[in-house]
Amino acid sequence: MSITIKVRKDGPYAIEGEFTLIDHEGNPIPYTPKPGKPMTLCRCGASSKKPFCDGTHSRIGFKGAEEAAAAFDATHPASAASGDKPA
């Protein structure tokens, strides 16, 4: 079976299919798949169940990269127009 990773708008990564999740030391991270539901990984960095999503992104107003960049550009028009990077 193939693995599908979906980036949810302003939310977690949703992963469907069989896979092994490995930590930074090469150890498997245990999780129990829920039938018919994808496993979700935190993308906002605020989950108390990292690396898994606990829904905190909804409470903190997390914005995905594209939306966050657009919001920044809207409040910093000189940087966006000139391509300048903040110092």
Side-chain angles (χ1 to χ4, degrees):
M1 175 185 221
S2 66
I3 297 171
T4 301
I5 302 173
K6 179 187 256 184
V7 180
R8 291 184 175 165
K9 180 174 173 46
D10 301 329
Y13 297 108
I15 305 170
E16 297 176 344
E18 290 186 35
F19 60 91
T20 302
L21 190 59
I22 305 292
D23 72 12
H24 66 284
E25 294 178 339
N27 302 306
I29 297 174
Y31 70 94
T32 305
K34 295 177 180 149
K37 294 199 170 227
M39 193 268 292
T40 55
L41 293 178
C42 177
R43 192 163 64 114
C44 74
S47 173
S48 63
K49 296 175 20 177
K50 287 185 199 90
F52 306 104
C53 175
D54 67 358
T56 298
H57 60 275
S58 296
R59 292 187 296 280
I60 65 169
F62 173 74
K63 302 292 181 208
E66 228 173 72
E67 191 170 336
F72 177 85
D73 290 347
T75 59
H76 298 80
S79 296
S82 66
D84 292 342
K85 303 268 187 228

